Amino acid sequence: MSSGLASDEVAEDYKNSLEDLTSNDRFQISNLTVIAKENTEHAMAISRVLENHIRTTPPAQKLPALYVVDSIVKNVGTPYTLFLGRNMYQTFMNAYTLVDSQTRKKLDEMLKTWKESVPGSLDTKPVFPPEITRGIESALIKARTAALQQQQARSQQDLLGRGRGTGTPTGWTNSPTPQTAPRHPQPNVPRPNNNGHGYDAARIPPQTQHNSHQDVDLAALNRDIDSLIATARSDFANNPLDNSVQQRLKALLDLQGILQRQELTQEQLRLVRDQVSALAPAPKPVPAIPQASMAANIPPVSTTPVSNILAQQLPQAFQQLLNPGTLGELLKVTAARQQQPTPPPQNPLLYPKVTANMNTPPPAVPTPAENPLIAALKARGLLPATPVPTASNPLMPSVPSAFPFIVPGQVRYTPPISTPHAINASEIKLGVQMNTVSIKIPQPTLIISLYEARSNRCGTCGRRFLTTEEDKEKKARHLDWHFKTNQRMAEAAKRAQNRSWYVDERDWIKSREFGDDLEIPESDAQGESGAGSGSAAAKKSLPKQWIRAPNDAALRNTPCPICQEKFESTWSEDVQDWIWQDAIKVGNRVYHASCYAEVTKDGPAPARGSTPLGRTGTPDSVLGKRKAEDNDSPSHVRIKTEPSL
Amino acid sequence: MSLPGLELTQPTADRPFAAAPPTQISLSQGTEWRFEVAFGTTVRVKLLAGTAELFGTELAPSQTYTFSGTKAAIYTWHGCTLEVNAGDAVSSLDGFLPGEVNGSAARGLSAGGCQSEYTAEETPMVEYANVHFALEEMRQQAKAAGRDGPRVLILGPEDAGKTSLAKILTAYGVKSGRQPIVVNLDPSEGMLSVPGTLTATAFRNMIDIEQGWGSSPMSGPSPVPVKLPLVYFYPSQNPLEADGMIYRPIVSRLALSVMGRMAEDEDSRETGIIVDTPGILSQGKAGGLQMINHIITEFSISTILVIGSERLYSTMVKDYDNKPTSSASAVATDERISVVKLSKSGGCVDRDVGFMKAVRESQIRTYFFGNSVPSTASSALSLSATSTLVTLSPHATQLDFNSLAIYNYIPPTVDEDEDEYDPSQLGTGDPFFTGGGEGGGVDPSSHDPNQQPSHSDEPGSTEATASSSAPIDGLSVPLKKVPGPAPSLLANTLLAITHAPPNAPAPAIRDASIMGFLYVADVDGEKGKVRVLAPIGGRVPSRALVWGKKWPDEVVGLVG
Ligand SMILES: [Zn+2]
Ligand SMILES: [Zn+2]
């Protein structure tokens, strides 16, 4: 907290440097990475600056900024991964929505690498925790699947002669020409991004351009999807409670269904293929397509997916798919689909097939014949539909974006259909009576309220949260708490620590339990509006006047000399000690800060009149020293407080 | 000042143990893995797949939890796979390593270094979870009816799993967003404090998986949020001692504070109370039922859970089932007590005398020195590679015995022979105040704390805090100031620092909550000095001290 000012300065500097980054300049990006690395104590501020910048910068400059993020998380890692990860879904999807298809492709590639560990690192953990990448992936699959379905619907209408001018691009301005000339593949180059000045997030040999009109190999595509499904199934078996895994699996199954009905045109198939290749785990060396002679020196890997991307074709395809005029229908289609009770995933899901391409064999989970989770979910009608409300929200038609890419959860929107929401614990009907007979009856459905209904977990302590917006915020604060605590633990190791005295009855009765998920007043108040300028400053918590409660019992019981009231000790999680709020030490005596201010203040205060500074008015006394310079209505000033010297 | 050698010895990684290979344990749904880890050894447990909970608190996937000196069970509702690993041995100060035999820790030969471990198919978890759901139902109804949340009393003989049930109900409550006030009335084992304490704590945050209930506040950070107990001192293992005349008023006072908190703290009021009790009350001893009745009345108990005692259950049903609670609003809202019988878990093992002594010593050690086992669970996000071992630095200091106001309960009789006059004790004529047997003797010139007026410097404040509900008046409180010279028996025992002034009347001292403890390292009778260990440096608070002469039992060698 004490470094609030410095954090501001660092943030401001960082913001300025970011604004200079208008192209994919490797030098600038690594420079920004180094700055981030040297200022990890300001990681939170820097992360915020990055997020804000990505959100507000013009679409053309989003990719370079995201590459800065990529570089930081890979080269610096914690704590940036934590801070940036928290809003990554929003950051990523926001950007994805607004950029052209070329850039989307790059984002797909980058996302792929986030699922892997950092190349060359000893740490085998993926760059971002799977829950983050999976969430984004699921949203992408979902959006694309919906778009495909929409296109199918449309082409059927076209066949009926009711077509309405396909291929009218609206607002899609990019040229399909790739920015760079096709690069030559450099198989097995260990540090591929030194082949130019561009930052290559994927750090993989560039992919070969292929004939865009080449027909899609259906069999290969099916194989790829199969293998993705197998992986997703084993993920699901390992994390039966993870919503994102379940969603991803479902999306894949949907996709497979569409494919198997063989209702797709070649163009659509290419889209599917593109999607599939984007989903495939980042290949070690990128697999070569057998017929690509240039890559012949790479042994073909039979199970690897087709991974070439039809850059030139995709924009149009997407464009057609995403024509805003079709949005209404699109919504209908998605809605209809969601109402259809898709058959629930059957038992196969619970019996992971160990396939050759799985890196880690699934642990031997005993597989009971009747899985209570599945049964319970079925009983609650939860399994058939997609249970996460955020993922089932189609795009709001009035969204200002020129590109109505469907981004689940990006906007708050109540779908016009009744999809089952995440179970609210209070919605679960209890009905267990407190008597010896009633409590002997197993209640598998109620166990859901302790587990499945709270599917959003903290990876550190295992605490569960609901999937509501409110709980997401709680979780974010909770993660912050972990982070701060760990930071403090490291600091605290350097100095002696003590057991605190226990509180007395009065303090205990007055105390309220600290919640690590509680909103800290006046933090996180940043709105969507600011161009990133004020938010870092707003984040900095304003200094309340407090002192550490004295350990000495006599001092602890000495009242405020002015009002003769005793001080109340409260446990401060921030300070990690007992503190007295609204207290100030002057010489050897401790006063209520407000009492002291009232007594010592002459002239100005009465002149301003209207703001009494009673003890209850602590928020005002928050302004402390600043008050003198400020002009009027102190109670409002603090919201707009300018970012300090 | 801090004495050299006071810090805990770090775990020695180079101890020549051949590390046993990690063991994987697969549990099918509805089963649990029961394990015992000796003091001095550690076992690491990691959840590889599925879900698992330890007394209701869920394990995070892929985190490593370190256990030492524990007998516990990990249950799964959905099936899970655990990885179990022998951890480093924990060595500590000389002379203190209860589980240690001849210098080498008693390392078990079972999976992952456990002393013993097995998987159990039959558990009472369905019942216990349903109690939670029934409580949730009651909480909803109580809110609708404008009543307080349910006040639960857990009864049952020793080692029936009462504390485990209390933990499960607390953990599920916390998980459901509740904030139960958990009351420990069992002086034989502390909760967030040392043995000999009775406590009340509001739980909003997760119970610590590795460290019992968690930790009370420290000056430094804690990887699991600290809990804030209100602590009273009852320096005997047996609540029925002296006919319960000391225990009873302390329970009243504790209940009063809890009711005060409930009145002001909405979250706690809606959730209610969970009271854990000493097993001895449920074992048919004389005075047991009266004490249970006292607790039921003082806490306005609405739900009585009886584990593992058919006989007590039928007694409770007869006396309380469907009777109105003692809550002020009981009549208006027709609130009635329900009595429920619960199965005892087969995992409840008798904890032998040696193990319990080690648990108590460990609690005392932890109070002063922090955790003796590095917590690995929370270090995942840690920036540094340092372990999250929380080491506290207590301060040793020398005090003039005469400057201290140390009080001591002189029970009228010793333990079992309650109503008999014991001729071996030197009498002063008053059977309640027979001189303190073993040590020191009574100095007739010492102050008699029972003559209130002569000692009360602040009559106004102390009168007000005198117990209102104690059936006996202040004159009969067998609490006496320990006269000089400093008795050598003080050594290796605890002094509770009360919140009461040094010469408050006896009932006020008895009923006062406490600030913490001093450990008496040694006594120099001739010079009238005592060397003590205090949790915090600086002046030792000038307060009435209560000597835990017999309880908690001696801890030798806490200070080297
Ligand atoms: Zn957590
Ligand atoms: Zn004052």
Side-chain angles (χ1 to χ4, degrees):
Chain A
M1 289 295 118
S2 60
S3 53
L5 273 184
S7 229
D8 273 0
E9 283 162 11
V10 171
E12 189 62 25
D13 277 358
Y14 207 81
K15 185 164 93 67
N16 292 337
S17 310
L18 264 181
E19 276 159 5
D20 294 339
L21 179 71
T22 53
S23 65
N24 180 6
D25 182 322
R26 195 163 60 88
F27 177 76
Q28 272 181 292
I29 289 170
S30 73
N31 201 21
L32 284 160
T33 307
V34 169
I35 299 175
K37 187 172 189 163
E38 287 168 354
N39 290 283
T40 47
E41 69 269 33
H42 306 299
M44 195 190 273
I46 290 177
S47 301
R48 291 273 175 284
V49 169
L50 271 165
E51 282 169 2
N52 281 325
H53 177 77
I54 294 168
R55 192 177 66 230
T56 53
T57 197
Q61 293 170 27
K62 286 187 195 294
L63 182 68
L66 275 158
Y67 279 171
V68 175
V69 167
D70 179 84
S71 172
I72 289 175
V73 294
K74 284 174 180 166
N75 292 299
V76 188
T78 331
Y80 286 98
T81 322
L82 181 77
F83 288 127
L84 290 164
R86 192 199 304 155
N87 297 323
M88 188 41 75
Y89 179 88
Q90 292 294 341
T91 307
F92 191 96
M93 295 311 285
N94 265 316
Y96 203 94
T97 311
L98 295 173
V99 298
D100 59 41
S101 65
Q102 193 72 30
T103 310
R104 285 182 183 173
K105 211 177 62 178
K106 299 237 188 276
L107 291 179
D108 288 336
E109 285 170 11
M110 182 173 75
L111 182 62
K112 242 194 265 183
T113 68
W114 288 356
K115 298 190 290 184
E116 303 291 309
S117 57
V118 178
S121 158
L122 292 176
D123 191 350
T124 56
K125 286 207 198 90
V127 174
F128 277 109
E131 66 213 49
I132 292 173
T133 44
R134 268 197 225 114
I136 297 173
E137 275 186 346
S138 303
L140 292 176
I141 304 177
K142 222 170 160 49
R144 287 169 178 148
T145 306
L148 269 178
Q149 286 157 352
Q150 168 56 16
Q151 200 199 26
Q152 278 178 258
R154 270 176 43 87
S155 33
Q156 273 158 16
Q157 284 176 345
D158 288 348
L159 286 176
L160 293 171
R162 304 206 288 107
R164 68 191 85 153
T166 58
T168 5
T170 38
W172 192 277
T173 54
N174 76 301
S175 109
T177 321
Q179 299 169 325
T180 51
R183 291 173 288 184
H184 294 293
Q186 304 181 342
N188 295 325
V189 172
R191 316 205 97 254
N193 64 349
N194 53 11
N195 60 350
H197 292 293
Y199 176 85
D200 186 350
R203 292 189 185 175
I204 52 169
Q207 292 151 354
T208 318
Q209 294 287 343
H210 285 277
N211 181 348
S212 56
H213 296 293
Q214 173 200 339
D215 280 357
V216 174
D217 180 350
L218 250 184
L221 191 54
N222 271 317
R223 263 203 315 277
D224 295 342
I225 293 178
D226 278 350
S227 109
L228 282 173
I229 287 176
T231 311
R233 277 194 173 145
S234 85
D235 281 354
F236 180 75
N238 288 333
N239 306 286
L241 305 174
D242 186 335
N243 245 327
S244 67
V245 175
Q246 194 184 330
Q247 247 184 298
R248 177 189 161 107
L249 178 56
K250 175 153 187 320
L252 283 165
L253 289 170
D254 282 355
L255 188 60
Q256 192 182 39
I258 294 177
L259 208 62
Q260 280 164 357
R261 287 195 292 276
Q262 307 216 329
E263 298 156 349
L264 298 180
T265 65
Q266 277 298 317
E267 201 177 4
Q268 292 167 328
L269 281 174
R270 268 181 225 114
L271 258 169
V272 174
R273 184 177 59 185
D274 174 39
Q275 178 176 338
V276 167
S277 73
L279 282 171
K284 316 308 170 208
V286 158
I289 300 302
Q291 61 263 44
S293 58
M294 307 172 280
N297 53 342
I298 301 175
V301 187
S302 60
T303 56
T304 47
V306 182
S307 65
N308 58 330
I309 300 198
L310 306 173
Q312 281 92 344
Q313 296 305 309
L314 283 178
Q316 267 140 20
F318 260 107
Q319 195 177 327
Q320 288 169 6
L321 291 177
L322 304 175
N323 186 323
T326 69
L327 199 65
E329 284 162 351
L330 197 147
L331 282 174
K332 261 189 278 164
V333 173
T334 3
R337 267 202 67 76
Q338 280 165 345
Q339 273 173 331
Q340 261 175 32
T342 319
Q346 290 301 325
N347 278 344
L349 297 182
L350 302 169
Y351 299 89
K353 249 189 275 174
V354 183
T355 55
N357 61 344
M358 273 162 43
N359 297 332
T360 39
V365 184
T367 47
E370 251 297 309
N371 184 298
L373 165 58
I374 295 297
L377 289 174
K378 274 189 211 161
R380 292 208 48 85
L382 277 181
L383 249 197
T386 48
V388 179
T390 52
S392 60
N393 293 350
L395 185 75
M396 193 158 63
S398 63
V399 98
S401 162
F403 307 100
F405 188 84
I406 303 163
V407 179
Q410 191 180 28
V411 281
R412 278 169 200 268
Y413 172 64
T414 318
I417 43 153
S418 62
T419 46
H421 287 241
I423 322 162
N424 182 333
S426 63
E427 282 170 17
I428 293 183
K429 207 171 168 305
L430 291 157
V432 180
Q433 298 303 311
M434 189 60 89
N435 63 56
T436 306
V437 177
S438 174
I439 58 150
K440 295 219 188 297
I441 303 164
Q443 304 278 355
T445 53
L446 292 182
I447 300 301
I448 291 177
S449 70
L450 297 173
Y451 279 90
E452 291 87 344
R454 302 166 191 273
S455 56
N456 187 5
R457 293 194 77 177
C458 165
T460 301
C461 69
R463 176 168 169 190
R464 288 179 180 273
F465 296 85
L466 300 171
T467 50
T468 58
E469 283 304 313
E470 190 196 348
D471 260 38
K472 275 180 194 149
E473 282 161 26
K474 275 192 190 171
K475 186 183 175 190
R477 288 189 292 266
H478 172 80
L479 292 178
D480 256 358
W481 179 86
H482 273 307
F483 176 71
K484 282 192 217 147
T485 303
N486 279 306
Q487 224 173 12
R488 285 195 206 106
M489 300 271 311
E491 289 161 16
K494 295 169 203 149
R495 55 188 158 80
Q497 296 167 61
N498 304 101
R499 175 79 55 196
S500 306
W501 296 123
Y502 300 134
V503 282
D504 65 17
E505 289 165 338
R506 179 172 166 275
D507 282 349
W508 185 78
I509 289 169
K510 296 279 175 206
S511 72
R512 295 296 172 264
E513 293 317 297
F514 157 79
D516 56 34
D517 55 2
L518 288 191
E519 199 157 0
I520 304 152
E522 81 241 316
S523 78
D524 282 339
Q526 62 216 54
E528 289 294 291
S529 52
S533 60
S535 47
K539 178 77 191 159
K540 174 192 65 182
S541 68
L542 295 156
K544 276 205 165 73
Q545 285 192 297
W546 56 268
I547 62 166
R548 282 173 203 268
N551 278 324
D552 185 284
L555 284 179
R556 222 171 174 164
N557 280 305
T558 309
C560 166
I562 297 170
C563 69
Q564 292 301 321
E565 274 184 50
K566 282 197 193 172
F567 291 88
E568 247 175 65
S569 302
T570 46
W571 173 255
S572 161
E573 193 54 33
D574 254 3
V575 184
Q576 288 288 325
D577 203 350
W578 293 98
I579 62 164
W580 285 353
Q581 303 271 19
D582 184 31
I584 181 174
K585 196 164 183 183
V586 181
N588 282 327
R589 314 278 329 239
V590 178
Y591 302 83
H592 287 118
S594 45
C595 290
Y596 189 76
E598 207 154 12
V599 169
T600 54
K601 189 179 292 176
D602 38 18
R608 259 177 236 148
S610 58
T611 45
L613 282 167
R615 265 230 280 152
T616 45
T618 16
D620 287 340
S621 67
V622 152
L623 286 175
K625 304 151 239 172
R626 262 173 228 239
K627 218 174 279 165
E629 299 105 74
D630 281 328
N631 27 31
D632 41 19
S633 65
S635 53
H636 295 296
V637 166
R638 75 177 231 269
I639 295 157
K640 294 183 186 148
T641 304
E642 280 315 305
S644 68
L645 12 162
Chain B
M1 87 178 166
S2 156
L3 295 183
L6 277 185
E7 274 75 36
L8 275 183
T9 313
Q10 295 296 318
T12 47
D14 53 356
R15 236 168 137 147
F17 277 121
T23 312
Q24 283 203 1
I25 291 168
S26 287
L27 299 178
S28 54
Q29 53 163 324
T31 65
E32 71 185 15
W33 179 63
R34 296 171 182 161
F35 63 105
E36 301 184 15
V37 185
F39 279 92
T41 67
T42 61
V43 166
R44 297 195 179 135
V45 177
K46 187 155 107 180
L47 173 63
L48 295 179
T51 69
E53 54 183 51
L54 184 128
F55 299 137
T57 301
E58 213 179 328
L59 273 65
S62 307
Q63 290 285 17
T64 304
Y65 294 93
T66 306
F67 298 96
S68 182
T70 193
K71 303 187 179 192
I74 293 178
Y75 179 83
T76 178
W77 287 103
H78 303 101
C80 71
T81 305
L82 303 171
E83 183 186 87
V84 182
N85 240 321
D88 299 327
V90 185
S91 70
S92 60
L93 292 173
D94 292 341
F96 178 80
L97 192 49
E100 210 171 42
V101 180
N102 292 334
S104 77
R107 175 168 291 256
L109 296 172
S110 303
C114 291
Q115 242 183 351
S116 85
E117 53 89 29
Y118 65 99
T119 300
E121 306 282 333
E122 290 213 355
T123 80
M125 278 305 291
V126 165
E127 286 178 34
Y128 292 4
N130 280 339
V131 169
H132 164 72
F133 296 126
L135 288 174
E136 278 296 302
E137 175 101 31
M138 291 169 78
R139 284 162 188 156
Q140 289 175 10
Q141 287 173 1
K143 193 180 180 190
R147 285 195 304 258
D148 290 357
R151 285 84 58 202
V152 183
L153 179 67
I154 303 176
L155 296 175
E158 265 164 43
D159 292 323
K162 294 185 298 299
T163 304
S164 302
L165 175 63
K167 274 190 188 166
I168 290 165
L169 296 180
T170 304
Y172 284 175
V174 166
K175 209 169 174 182
S176 307
R178 301 291 188 175
Q179 185 188 291
I181 292 182
V182 185
V183 174
N184 174 39
L185 295 183
D186 183 1
S188 63
E189 205 179 334
M191 173 181 154
L192 297 163
S193 188
V194 304
T197 55
L198 311 182
T199 52
T201 313
F203 275 81
R204 185 195 189 96
N205 293 301
M206 199 175 252
I207 297 175
D208 194 321
I209 290 202
E210 294 162 317
Q211 310 288 341
W213 288 90
S215 171
S216 70
M218 301 166 292
S219 65
S222 163
V224 175
V226 292
K227 315 296 189 286
L228 181 55
L230 175 64
V231 185
Y232 296 81
F233 189 46
Y234 176 72
S236 165
Q237 185 175 17
N238 180 6
L240 300 176
E241 195 158 297
D243 283 334
M245 65 180 294
I246 302 160
Y247 185 77
R248 193 179 291 116
I250 297 177
V251 167
S252 297
R253 183 57 174 250
L254 175 52
L256 199 65
S257 297
V258 169
M259 294 305 160
R261 173 72 178 262
M262 293 266 280
E264 296 192 10
D265 187 341
E266 194 182 339
D267 291 339
S268 285
R269 182 170 64 245
E270 286 180 5
T271 307
I273 312 172
I274 297 168
V275 182
D276 189 11
T277 58
I280 192 171
L281 298 186
S282 303
Q283 288 167 326
K285 292 263 162 61
L289 289 179
Q290 287 88 323
M291 193 61 81
I292 289 174
N293 184 64
H294 179 67
I295 296 168
I296 290 173
T297 309
E298 294 295 87
F299 286 94
S300 299
I301 294 296
S302 65
T303 306
I304 300 171
L305 306 174
V306 184
I307 313 179
S309 173
E310 198 66 43
R311 194 170 140 210
L312 182 66
Y313 171 65
S314 47
T315 309
M316 288 296 117
V317 168
K318 182 162 64 73
D319 291 352
Y320 298 103
D321 200 28
N322 215 27
K323 304 267 163 51
T325 68
S326 70
S327 134
S329 59
V331 181
T333 61
D334 193 30
E335 189 185 48
R336 285 167 187 278
I337 299 175
S338 41
V339 179
V340 173
K341 181 178 65 178
L342 294 175
S343 309
K344 175 179 164 179
S345 166
C348 294
V349 284
D350 287 350
R351 296 174 299 173
D352 58 73
V353 177
F355 183 81
M356 288 313 294
K357 184 164 166 50
V359 167
R360 293 194 297 269
E361 292 190 1
S362 159
Q363 287 189 337
I364 293 170
R365 164 166 296 272
T366 302
Y367 173 77
F368 289 102
F369 294 96
N371 300 331
S372 54
V373 176
S375 163
T376 42
S378 329
S379 57
L381 288 174
S382 188
L383 290 175
S384 63
T386 58
S387 87
T388 53
L389 177 77
V390 176
T391 307
L392 303 180
S393 308
H395 285 247
T397 181
Q398 197 141 54
L399 302 172
D400 278 330
F401 177 81
N402 286 330
S403 71
L404 303 173
I406 302 176
Y407 294 81
N408 180 21
Y409 288 101
I410 313 293
T413 53
V414 188
D415 292 352
E416 268 75 52
D417 29 349
E418 278 123 345
D419 290 319
E420 287 169 8
Y421 173 68
D422 184 355
S424 71
Q425 298 199 316
L426 296 171
T428 60
D430 183 342
F432 276 112
F433 302 121
T434 51
E438 306 92 331
V442 180
D443 180 351
S445 69
S446 74
H447 299 302
D448 182 348
N450 303 301
Q451 294 169 4
Q452 292 185 32
S454 65
H455 295 285
S456 187
D457 290 344
E458 303 165 292
S461 67
T462 50
E463 291 303 333
T465 55
S467 166
S468 52
S469 52
I472 350 163
D473 67 7
L475 286 174
S476 55
V477 177
L479 191 63
K480 293 197 68 154
K481 192 163 181 180
V482 178
S488 58
L489 279 176
L490 272 175
N492 303 325
T493 62
L494 293 184
L495 296 172
I497 309 170
T498 69
H499 279 108
N503 41 16
I509 296 171
R510 176 197 62 199
D511 294 347
S513 67
I514 64 166
M515 297 178 68
F517 290 93
L518 301 174
Y519 170 80
V520 182
D522 49 45
V523 179
D524 186 336
E526 280 182 22
K527 293 189 185 135
K529 302 270 187 192
V530 287
R531 193 160 65 95
V532 301
L533 199 59
I536 302 170
R539 204 142 49 91
V540 169
S542 173
R543 287 287 183 277
L545 307 176
V546 177
W547 179 21
K549 180 163 139 193
K550 292 198 302 182
W551 197 256
D553 38 12
E554 281 194 341
V555 179
V556 179
L558 193 61
V559 183

